[in-house]
Amino acid sequence: MFYLLIVNQGAYEKISDSTENYFREFIKAVPLYILGLLILILGIFIAGWIGEFAKRRIQKRTHDPLMSKFLGRGIRFILILIFIMLALDAAGLGNISAGILAAAGASAVVLGFAFKDVGQNFIAGVILSFNRPFDVDDTVEIGDIFGKVKTLEFRYTKLKTFDGKDVYIPNSDVITRPVTNYTEDGFFRYDFIIGIAYEDNIDGAKKVVLKALSEEPKVMSDEIHQNFVTEDKLDTSTVNLKVFFWVDTKEFGMQALITKGNVVRRVKEALEDAGYYMPADIQEIKLYGKEAELPISFIDKLKADENKKKE
């Protein structure tokens, strides 16, 4: 019994001494921990300031808000990592930072497989920041997504569709999918079909249509982008003309659709004012043999049905 008390007392003294030593070491290390914390806090502020400064300088030189924003964030992120390592080293925890680097190196392969998509999107974002087929507010189509480019992040490109949706497309998809830019040269071509009667003069109708196009202020034209009208096909009761005209894609969306509507209205009214007839589609039904007497009653029935609709 006495022996057990001596053993327990010795163990207690060892625990007490160890605790006291750890506490003393901790008290000695507190100033270092505070210094490391101050370095970290100051580093975050410095990294943010340098990142913002770099973004402004890059944007001023390149006039490219997408690239400047992306690179500014990248610089900020790298500087924060550097200050974290410096803070750990200043706090006497350099072995921890070395262990983190060693662990990161050893697990690079595992992390590479685990976060393969994240890595692909980040690398694709870096590529897009320097070499990409669009700018901010460009109207683009990526895959089957159609809208305006709003921002380029580390992992995704954000589009705002014309029906109000915010679509986040992974940067790796932007790199691998076809990208159609409607804004790059500022021109987009619309077309529509209008039918005139067979007895009308085609060349005269085409001149009327072109004059109507020239009177619409939002329709664009130059040596390369010319508006024109061509014969499309001979329909049942009309000669169809196809009208091609250009609009400004800097204002693509509602304004472009309004312009198209104005053009259709102007062309219709111009043809009517010039005396051109635009008949509706008519289909003939011919009956042969014993049923030859039926068309009269059939026509009467059609007229009766038409009168009911009008009423």
Side-chain angles (χ1 to χ4, degrees):
M1 185 70 178
F2 180 73
Y3 175 75
L4 291 175
L5 288 173
I6 293 175
V7 172
N8 289 336
Q9 185 176 1
Y12 174 77
E13 289 178 354
K14 287 182 179 180
I15 293 172
S16 178
D17 291 341
S18 298
T19 303
E20 187 176 351
N21 289 333
Y22 282 124
F23 183 73
R24 287 175 182 172
E25 292 295 328
F26 176 76
I27 295 299
K28 289 180 182 180
V30 165
L32 296 178
Y33 294 155
I34 294 174
L35 177 62
L37 183 61
L38 290 175
I39 291 175
L40 179 60
I41 295 172
L42 184 63
I44 291 174
F45 281 107
I46 292 175
W49 182 83
I50 293 177
E52 188 65 25
F53 176 77
K55 185 183 80 171
R56 290 197 301 267
R57 294 294 295 177
I58 294 170
Q59 185 169 351
K60 186 177 180 180
R61 287 179 174 271
T62 63
H63 304 288
D64 190 338
L66 279 182
M67 182 174 71
S68 59
K69 184 178 180 181
F70 184 89
L71 293 180
R73 289 185 175 181
I75 291 170
R76 177 175 175 270
F77 178 74
I78 292 171
L79 288 176
I80 287 176
L81 289 179
I82 292 173
F83 277 110
I84 288 174
M85 297 300 175
L86 291 176
L88 289 173
D89 190 60
L93 302 175
N95 56 337
I96 294 179
S97 62
I100 292 173
L101 291 175
S107 59
V109 176
V110 177
L111 292 175
F113 283 107
F115 298 98
K116 181 180 67 174
D117 293 338
V118 175
Q120 285 179 346
N121 291 325
F122 177 77
I123 294 172
V126 173
I127 295 172
L128 287 173
S129 68
F130 289 98
N131 185 16
R132 65 180 178 281
F134 51 74
D135 291 313
V136 174
D137 287 332
D138 277 6
T139 300
V140 300
E141 186 175 15
I142 302 175
D144 57 351
I145 307 299
F146 182 66
K148 282 185 175 289
V149 178
K150 288 303 175 185
T151 186
L152 172 65
E153 302 291 347
F154 284 137
R155 294 185 56 247
Y156 58 81
T157 297
K158 178 182 176 182
L159 295 189
K160 186 79 171 182
T161 65
F162 290 104
D163 57 355
K165 298 175 183 176
D166 294 305
V167 183
Y168 299 85
I169 305 175
N171 289 329
S172 58
D173 288 347
V174 179
I175 290 289
T176 56
R177 289 184 180 183
V179 177
T180 304
N181 191 328
Y182 291 82
T183 312
E184 187 168 338
D185 69 347
F187 288 85
F188 178 77
R189 193 179 72 184
Y190 274 125
D191 62 76
F192 66 95
I193 294 175
I194 190 165
I196 60 174
Y198 270 86
E199 60 268 22
D200 286 335
N201 181 272
I202 296 176
D203 289 334
K206 291 165 72 173
K207 291 178 182 178
V208 171
V209 173
L210 288 174
K211 185 173 183 297
L213 291 177
S214 66
E215 293 173 350
E216 173 55 43
K218 293 293 185 179
V219 170
M220 303 180 67
S221 178
D222 60 20
E223 293 181 358
I224 299 175
H225 307 87
Q226 296 185 7
N227 305 313
F228 63 97
V229 185
T230 185
E231 297 82 352
D232 185 57
K233 69 173 182 177
L234 300 177
D235 217 335
T236 305
S237 55
T238 59
V239 176
N240 289 344
L241 304 179
K242 196 164 189 177
V243 183
F244 298 87
F245 63 97
W246 297 89
V247 297
D248 182 6
T249 53
K250 299 296 182 183
E251 300 179 2
F252 203 79
M254 183 181 73
Q255 184 57 56
L257 293 175
I258 291 174
T259 301
K260 181 180 180 181
N262 290 339
V263 168
V264 172
R265 175 176 52 80
R266 279 181 180 272
V267 169
K268 171 187 174 294
E269 293 174 354
L271 287 172
E272 288 177 341
D273 293 342
Y276 288 90
Y277 179 53
M278 290 169 283
D281 287 337
I282 299 173
Q283 294 184 356
E284 294 183 359
I285 299 177
K286 293 184 179 181
L287 300 176
Y288 300 94
K290 295 182 179 180
E291 293 83 4
E293 298 178 357
L294 293 178
I296 296 177
S297 61
F298 184 70
I299 292 173
D300 290 339
K301 184 176 184 305
L302 289 177
K303 289 182 178 179
D305 292 340
E306 186 68 24
N307 291 331
K308 287 182 181 179
K309 290 181 180 178
K310 291 181 179 180
E311 293 175 358

